[in-house]
Amino acid sequence: MSSQRHFLGIEGMVRADLEALLSRAREHKRSIEAGFRKTPLAGRVVANLFFEDSTRTRSSFEIAAKMLGAEVLNWSTRGSSVSKGETLLDTVRNIEAMGPLAIVIRHTSSGAPALCARHVRCAVVNAGDGMHEHPSQALLDALTLMEKLGGLDGRKVAIVGDVLHSRVARSNLHCLIKLGAQVVLCGPPTLMPSGIEALGARVTYDLTAALEGADAVMLLRIQLERQGESMFPSAREYARSYGLDAARAARLEEGAVVMHPGPINRGVELAPDVADGPKSVILYQVTNGVAVRMAILEACA
Amino acid sequence: MSSQRHFLGIEGMVRADLEALLSRAREHKRSIEAGFRKTPLAGRVVANLFFEDSTRTRSSFEIAAKMLGAEVLNWSTRGSSVSKGETLLDTVRNIEAMGPLAIVIRHTSSGAPALCARHVRCAVVNAGDGMHEHPSQALLDALTLMEKLGGLDGRKVAIVGDVLHSRVARSNLHCLIKLGAQVVLCGPPTLMPSGIEALGARVTYDLTAALEGADAVMLLRIQLERQGESMFPSAREYARSYGLDAARAARLEEGAVVMHPGPINRGVELAPDVADGPKSVILYQVTNGVAVRMAILEACA
Amino acid sequence: MSSQRHFLGIEGMVRADLEALLSRAREHKRSIEAGFRKTPLAGRVVANLFFEDSTRTRSSFEIAAKMLGAEVLNWSTRGSSVSKGETLLDTVRNIEAMGPLAIVIRHTSSGAPALCARHVRCAVVNAGDGMHEHPSQALLDALTLMEKLGGLDGRKVAIVGDVLHSRVARSNLHCLIKLGAQVVLCGPPTLMPSGIEALGARVTYDLTAALEGADAVMLLRIQLERQGESMFPSAREYARSYGLDAARAARLEEGAVVMHPGPINRGVELAPDVADGPKSVILYQVTNGVAVRMAILEACA
């Protein structure tokens, strides 16, 4: 039950691990662009276990696995024995008993992939767990930034929005700091975890201050569908204070890029013309996601 | 953003385009029957985006893609980010950013595939859009008719039923006329689009007249589940006036064939003994669907 | 419409058929362990038609098919034309018209796969039908018992629980008796089919008597979700009388094994510490499921 091949979170990784995966992802990108296909995972099975809705991440892992020649088993909470009340661990151990190379898990509970990893012999890949981590997203964001900015050392990245509930923010914070970048976290005080500065970030509640000198702005998705208790007055109010609109985007540094993990609430955290504008690298992030996940899955073998 | 590789509708195609696809489909049929497999799309991804339920069409495109060696990404509105309110274009652009060869779209809105085609670089294939077109269905119907009737020039095809709401009728009308057939449209006046004769068809509200001399009868599915406002008194009443029962089928020409795009409302537009009888080529249509879709997907490359 | 390649139930098979499949399954296990992959079904399609929820069985057939090089078409009642009211036979005939090698069917109605088999030319595999049979489960159980006990002739197997509603019990009963084992059925009188002794089993309502001298205990899943009319007072009461807890498990013979088809109701028919304990071969059953299903699908070709 060695955990060395698991991919559970950025927090437990060192810079060299991250750089090795990023380097391998770049090689995969070059291979795809050259139309040259290797299938190192032919005959192996990657199981996608998604206990939470997803388009991008599930599809991206699926394509990544198939590009490496692996077979993909898709499994979601619908149409499965979870409707018969089976526990997470029983489900995962059953899937594992069928012999997959890796199990890719998305779950609403923080720590679910780590729990699974302690009970199976195959590799476990965290595809997003509750409010904990979304490590493959952080890697694809890092790859995007390195390609667009030419490197991360000393670069300033602003992460804006609901930092409190965001696994994307948490993984990116760990990843960017390990790779030498400076991180500014910005959002309403109600959506900022207390003491987060201890992880090495600067915190501000003022968007203008956060954007000043930023090489990249990463907008977080406001989880309108989860906003049970109201953390801010309204979507319109949020957009006014923390949304990146055309006027604010225009004041960004020359060469600065705008990122978003998707799906976008257009007009809330990000104005449509900025999302589709020249500074946006959002779809480039998605393209990089496939290459990064190829590197992650390959490292499971 | 050239649209030359898209497959959006029969209306915009010329006879030579249709014949080239049909010819290629026949070659694929021969290869399959001979057990000879080519995989020209190995390493490529075909994304199936179905925003509307489907058995036949989704499965048929999936098998067609896999027979060509492609990997298939299945995506439906359930279990996806559409439940998070993402727009159609954002979803499609995200899928496209993952590098598929083609995106196959079924959508409840007429024109959705054409809209997508204007915003992505990969090929877009229309698998049925609202009340607009279902072009792969028309091609598989044409292939079936050419094989069963020995050709289409001068042949008389009756299309019977809810022409108003039918994308199958619309695509078939364009396709059959381009390929030289005569088309008679028949159905209740409330379900017949006004001015449809302008597209080259003859219209009648009398089934006996429509069937007279017909080489083929194509029954349309009555969309009982969509029949919000009542376009006809009842299913029984519809069957009496416009259903193809055994008595009517017996009066068809020697060699005439009975078609239906499926799924059949047995006992409404088509009597069970006719659906399963000797004139029926309904399952033959399904078989041809795979070959036609292989030709369509191959042409995307 | 020869039925020789169908796999519909253990009842209609002879010992030599079962042994041939088990022998082939063992060869597949060795190949997988050796990392040696053959793809005898390359270019062929296996269609999974699941009209009832399933994790294990659907995934197991899918992985088995892919390990043999086949393409898999997954089809479930959700997102399909069944929501448009299509009949089972129309659905199956349509899938068949697309040319699959085999259709794997799970259905809530006993006899549904056999009905389909009479109407299609491709092979039909029963993946569980109502309260009738679950023949691939019986085969994987037999493989597990042969490996763990060194053979089945003269071995005593206790099947405990809701025998009345269990397709697993029915298939295992046929399979174990054909392979020379002695079967004791045990459960509450309300959940025991009358006259079942005629099939060659001994019946007892006393768990202690059933476990005495048993080489294997197979616990059945209590279908809590289907228990419309109450067949026993409560889950707690059931566990007390018929659940395998640590104390009872401790009294089992040296070398005896504990089996369960899954998903387990932990604490009802099986105590968690027994499910995860040293006598349990439950996950081994799952592993064997892939090999057994490879043998079944291969035999369809």
Side-chain angles (χ1 to χ4, degrees), chain B residues 37 52-60 62-63 66-67 70 78 106 167 221 225-226 262-266 276 282-284 286-287 290, chain C residues 42-45 66 69 71-76 78-87 90-91 93-100 121:
Chain B
R37 193 185 184 211
E52 202 184 74
D53 281 352
S54 166
T55 302
R56 239 162 301 266
T57 308
R58 186 190 64 76
S59 301
S60 184
E62 180 169 352
I63 291 178
K66 288 176 170 173
M67 297 301 279
R78 295 197 181 81
R106 165 165 292 194
R167 56 195 177 207
R221 173 179 170 75
E225 72 278 14
R226 294 189 194 164
I264 305 168
N265 291 305
R266 289 177 169 262
D276 303 331
I282 294 174
L283 294 176
Y284 198 82
V286 176
T287 300
V290 174
Chain C
R44 310 299 296 271
V45 173
K66 288 176 170 172
E71 302 294 343
V72 175
L73 182 74
N74 275 311
W75 193 95
S76 72
R78 297 197 180 82
S80 77
S81 286
V82 164
S83 64
K84 296 181 188 167
E86 190 173 44
T87 69
D90 274 342
T91 296
R93 281 193 283 211
N94 270 281
I95 294 289
E96 197 243 337
M98 295 179 201
R121 283 156 305 170

Side-chain angles (χ1 to χ4, degrees), chain C residues 172-212:
Chain C
N172 261 298
L173 177 55
H174 290 303
C175 189
L176 291 167
I177 286 174
K178 282 177 205 279
L179 293 173
Q182 299 167 34
V183 178
V184 182
L185 301 173
C186 175
T190 48
L191 294 176
M192 188 64 64
S194 64
I196 188 84
E197 297 90 338
L199 295 178
R202 192 158 67 77
V203 169
T204 175
Y205 307 120
D206 176 45
L207 181 56
T208 306
L211 299 184
E212 206 179 306

Side-chain angles (χ1 to χ4, degrees), chain A residues 191-256:
Chain A
L191 294 175
M192 188 62 65
S194 64
I196 189 81
E197 297 91 339
L199 295 180
R202 191 158 67 78
V203 170
T204 175
Y205 308 119
D206 176 46
L207 182 55
T208 306
L211 299 184
E212 204 180 308
D215 297 294
V217 194
M218 196 176 287
L219 287 314
L220 302 175
R221 172 178 171 75
I222 286 297
Q223 313 268 334
L224 295 172
E225 72 279 14
R226 294 189 194 163
Q227 198 70 18
E229 72 267 54
S230 197
M231 296 300 200
F232 49 85
S234 70
R236 173 182 293 202
E237 182 65 24
Y238 180 86
R240 188 149 43 204
S241 302
Y242 294 103
L244 189 68
D245 58 17
R248 285 172 175 142
R251 287 196 297 273
L252 287 172
E253 299 286 318
E254 178 73 25

Side-chain angles (χ1 to χ4, degrees), chain C residues 20-73:
Chain C
L21 287 170
L22 291 167
S23 166
R24 201 74 192 96
R26 272 189 294 266
E27 289 172 37
H28 284 301
K29 278 189 79 169
R30 280 193 294 271
S31 293
I32 292 171
E33 280 155 19
F36 177 56
R37 193 186 184 210
K38 289 165 287 186
T39 56
L41 303 189
R44 310 299 296 271
V45 173
V46 171
N48 263 345
L49 266 68
F50 276 65
F51 295 86
E52 203 184 73
D53 282 353
S54 167
T55 303
R56 238 163 301 266
T57 308
R58 186 190 66 75
S59 301
S60 185
F61 270 111
E62 180 168 352
I63 291 177
K66 288 176 170 172
M67 296 301 280
L68 294 166
E71 302 294 343
V72 175
L73 182 74

